[in-house]
Amino acid sequence: LLSPINGMSQILANYDEDKVPALILSDPFVSEKGRLIQSITDWEKIRRSEIVRLFQDKVYGQIPSDFEAISFEKVNETANPYPEIADLEEVNITVKRNGKSHTMRINFFLPKDGKGPFPVILLINYLPKYADGTLVDEAFWPVQELIRRGFATASFHAETVAPDIAETFQDGVISTLYPEQIGQANGMKALGAWGWGAMRAMDYFEKHSKLDSKISVLVGHSRTGKAALWASANDPRWAFTYANESGCGGAALSKRKFGETVGAINRRFPHWFADNFNQYNEKEEDLPIDQHLLPGLIAPRSVYYSSAKGDQWADPKGEYLGLQLGSRVAAEIYGKKAAFDQGFEDLEGPVHLESVGYHIREGKHDLTWEDWSLFLEFMEKVEK
Ligand code: GTR
């Protein structure tokens, strides 16, 4: 639901291509000291870390990952809705640091058909209707269909890590495990905390004999698409990262100021991004980076974006351009067949390349079966 304020900013936003400012975007292949970056070594040793640091300081905030202990406990509190095709595992993940602990809950369905190990798809979910179990099967999270195709599915609700509320977002992992993050201008905020949750889920996947953590997918829609991208930039264990309609602060270029802007998102969701990101409210042109540098942090692992024509607020063209420019790292540094040569206006169908993919569909802001099936087609192609 749109709040009245957001409804107003959506109406007042710019949707006119002619009013998009001329873009000055930083070059992924020139380091801060002016060195031309052409090799994997220079990319990984010099340029990649510069870009990670800028996103951390200016956009998302840190994802601290140190802790003293992690433990996994099967709880099985809920009846399995699909006993014929899958085993349900509900797991409490408890992380300890400085004498304090935080427990998050994650749910798995493991296919009954076959011995595994199964490739695993993790959804970071935030919709209230799934809050108490993330078990509901529908187009948005098609558990049964994914199981039939041989995947294990896993999901956790964002709020098991950090509440999605400006006043209370710290009342989860942040104040319990990482209180020193509070008040830092690049301290961990909600998107970073959700990404941290995905990393702890991966810690479990790696130990699970029935899961093939090497074929792992991190999926997020919209706000959790933003979180998934930042998590994957920080954690190379994800083979695939799929961000659906992640828009402003996710896939889309901020400097286009098309649809949702940095000021609009920071005012409506002050708990998502680093406090420093506020410096760019109505001043996107001053950002030292833009979202086109994000896919390169995930390369050479696979990254997939999707947009909807009815979701202009998320700026589909800005999402496409971000990936088109961002895929240059996969193509030019890692030698993947990842060069997008089509203009956004000329797209006739999905673009499924080696390690990068994109589609845009009719309809509105949502994660649908059409999105899933196109993403799965892309995955199959990459896996071959
Ligand atoms: C939009 C919001 C976006 C996006 C989304 C969502 O209205 O402005 O940034 O995150 O909601 O998460 O559904």
Side-chain angles (χ1 to χ4, degrees):
L1 286 182
L2 299 180
S3 69
I5 298 172
N6 187 57
M8 190 54 81
S9 61
Q10 287 205 11
I11 291 164
L12 297 176
N14 177 47
Y15 298 106
D16 181 351
E17 263 321 307
D18 292 339
K19 297 210 174 95
V20 169
L23 297 180
I24 301 173
L25 299 174
S26 45
D27 191 324
F29 303 130
V30 180
S31 79
E32 286 170 353
K33 288 194 174 142
R35 182 184 172 113
L36 187 61
I37 304 294
Q38 292 175 307
S39 67
I40 294 181
T41 316
D42 280 359
W43 168 257
E44 291 181 354
K45 289 241 157 65
I46 302 171
R47 187 61 178 142
R48 186 181 185 284
S49 30
E50 288 176 357
I51 296 171
V52 169
R53 201 195 59 239
L54 285 167
F55 274 116
Q56 175 180 295
D57 288 350
K58 307 298 184 191
V59 181
Y60 297 106
Q62 305 168 56
I63 306 188
S65 271
D66 63 299
F67 49 80
E68 281 140 27
I70 184 164
S71 59
F72 310 102
E73 184 201 0
K74 287 188 195 168
V75 285
N76 292 343
E77 287 173 354
T78 312
N80 182 352
Y82 322 117
E84 294 83 38
I85 59 168
D87 292 320
L88 168 64
E89 264 187 26
E90 292 172 280
V91 178
N92 280 347
I93 302 181
T94 300
V95 179
K96 292 203 171 81
R97 183 177 186 256
N98 290 341
K100 295 210 168 167
S101 71
H102 178 84
T103 298
M104 63 178 279
R105 168 71 61 88
I106 173 159
N107 303 299
F108 291 88
F109 288 102
L110 296 155
K112 278 206 157 133
D113 192 4
K115 285 207 299 291
F118 304 104
V120 55
I121 303 183
L122 173 69
L123 172 75
I124 313 176
N125 179 47
Y126 71 93
L127 296 172
K129 61 182 172 175
Y130 302 104
D132 53 0
T134 32
L135 299 180
V136 183
D137 183 88
E138 49 184 85
F140 187 90
W141 182 222
V143 170
Q144 295 181 78
E145 190 52 41
L146 295 172
I147 291 165
R148 280 193 204 99
R149 292 177 184 228
F151 292 98
T153 67
S155 65
F156 69 87
H157 197 272
E159 304 217 335
T160 192
V161 186
D164 193 5
I165 299 170
E167 293 73 27
T168 57
F169 75 96
Q170 290 160 336
D171 297 353
V173 70
I174 299 176
S175 64
T176 311
L177 298 188
Y178 302 105
E180 70 280 1
Q181 292 285 319
I182 297 172
Q184 290 190 50
N186 70 351
M188 185 194 226
K189 302 284 287 288
L191 293 180
W194 302 337
W196 180 94
M199 295 177 184
R200 303 296 71 81
M202 175 55 91
D203 294 342
Y204 183 63
F205 298 171
E206 289 189 318
K207 294 212 157 61
H208 198 301
S209 61
K210 282 196 159 185
L211 297 177
D212 182 358
S213 64
K214 297 270 177 301
I215 311 181
S216 52
V217 185
L218 179 56
V219 183
H221 165 65
S222 206
R223 71 196 65 188
T224 66
K226 307 177 211 288
L229 290 170
W230 181 229
S232 188
N234 281 272
D235 184 349
R237 295 175 294 176
W238 299 98
F240 290 84
T241 308
Y242 174 21
N244 183 62
E245 296 155 27
S246 61
C248 180
L253 294 173
S254 299
K255 294 187 186 196
R256 279 171 47 80
K257 306 187 192 194
F258 187 104
E260 188 170 34
T261 59
V262 170
I265 204 166
N266 280 332
R267 278 190 290 274
R268 183 160 168 237
F269 303 106
H271 57 296
W272 284 2
F273 295 92
D275 292 352
N276 274 338
F277 200 35
N278 285 301
Q279 293 168 13
Y280 307 100
N281 295 350
E282 287 74 51
K283 290 198 200 100
E284 287 87 344
E285 58 283 357
D286 291 351
L287 272 164
I289 44 170
D290 207 337
Q291 302 303 116
H292 68 300
L293 296 176
L294 201 48
L297 302 181
I298 299 172
R301 294 170 289 124
S302 295
V303 59
Y304 194 87
Y305 288 176
S306 44
S307 311
K309 291 185 186 165
D311 186 19
Q312 292 297 312
W313 178 238
D315 187 13
K317 181 170 178 177
E319 296 184 311
Y320 181 77
L321 288 174
L323 190 61
Q324 185 170 40
L325 294 168
S327 68
R328 291 183 59 203
V329 175
E332 294 171 39
I333 300 289
Y334 291 101
K336 299 275 180 189
K337 293 193 189 71
F340 276 82
D341 32 32
Q342 274 163 292
F344 178 72
E345 287 77 11
D346 306 324
L347 288 178
E348 273 167 9
V351 184
H352 290 174
L353 304 174
E354 191 186 12
S355 85
V356 278
Y358 177 85
H359 74 256
I360 180 163
R361 59 158 174 80
E362 302 294 329
K364 59 181 177 52
H365 187 63
D366 195 3
L367 178 56
T368 68
W369 175 246
E370 186 179 349
D371 295 315
W372 278 106
S373 62
L374 290 169
F375 169 70
L376 293 171
E377 268 175 34
F378 164 75
M379 247 192 108
E380 235 170 73
K381 206 174 146 186
V382 174
E383 281 299 302
K384 267 182 198 147

